[in-house]
Amino acid sequence: VHEFNIKDVEDGFNTSHSIHRLTFGEPAPGVESPLEGTSRVVLKGAGMFHYYVKLVPTLYVKADGTKTYSNQYAVTQTAKNVMVKQGELTGLPGVFFVYEFNPFLIQKEEREVAFTSFLTSVSAIIGGTFTISRLVDTVIFSSMCAMMGAPPRTV
């Protein structure tokens, strides 16, 4: 049984902490740990730190069919000094993690893209560039002709 006694923290309560790594599930490519390397230091008073973690189940499927189940997460954090006066607290000092599980599953799949698909994409980019440049050229030429009073020529 844990009992919190205010007299134990009259001079402050050091809740300084470092999060080296926090993961949920197996490591998978593209699944990051946003809290990795987080450090908070309490110099005086008593700190209360809340980390609100939203977990999203993730299935990662490699090109060879190997499946890895993991969890991605997003985090929102708040911090405040709960010791407003000597020996008087407005909250409970500590480091708290509040979890919320998302009911949806994200599935990431590795796929090999065919070379012809790459060529099609490059061709579309080049064609789009020429189309836009032709459109800009036509607008500028027509504007210049209108300003000079010359009739625009047709091609």
Side-chain angles (χ1 to χ4, degrees):
V1 175
H2 177 72
E3 183 180 323
F4 183 77
N5 187 352
I6 189 74
K7 292 179 181 167
D8 293 339
V9 294
E10 285 181 350
D11 297 331
F13 189 75
N14 189 354
T15 54
S16 298
H17 61 281
S18 293
I19 301 172
H20 298 286
R21 198 174 91 181
L22 181 66
T23 58
F24 301 91
E26 296 295 320
V31 176
E32 297 179 9
S33 177
L35 284 176
E36 189 170 311
T38 300
S39 291
R40 299 289 181 255
V41 177
V42 177
L43 298 175
K44 79 181 226 192
M48 178 171 64
F49 299 92
H50 277 110
Y51 295 95
Y52 299 96
V53 180
K54 294 187 179 196
L55 290 164
V56 181
T58 304
L59 172 62
Y60 183 79
V61 183
K62 292 184 180 179
D64 65 359
T66 307
K67 295 181 180 181
T68 303
Y69 289 93
S70 188
N71 290 285
Q72 296 183 69
Y73 69 93
V75 65
T76 305
Q77 49 190 311
T78 61
K80 72 177 187 177
N81 186 358
V82 293
M83 182 172 280
V84 290
K85 295 180 188 173
Q86 185 77 15
E88 188 177 319
L89 296 175
T90 59
L92 186 62
V95 179
F96 304 97
F97 292 89
V98 180
Y99 300 97
E100 179 181 325
F101 291 92
N102 196 314
F104 300 104
L105 173 80
I106 292 179
Q107 183 171 337
K108 293 183 176 184
E109 293 184 27
E110 271 185 11
R111 291 186 188 163
E112 292 185 19
V113 179
F115 185 69
T116 54
S117 220
F118 170 74
L119 285 179
T120 303
S121 296
V122 169
S123 299
I125 292 169
I126 293 170
T129 303
F130 278 113
T131 301
I132 296 297
S133 61
R134 174 73 174 159
L135 180 65
V136 170
D137 179 55
T138 302
V139 169
I140 291 172
F141 180 74
S142 298
S143 299
M144 294 296 287
C145 287
M147 287 181 2
M148 294 181 174
R153 60 186 165 111
T154 56
V155 180

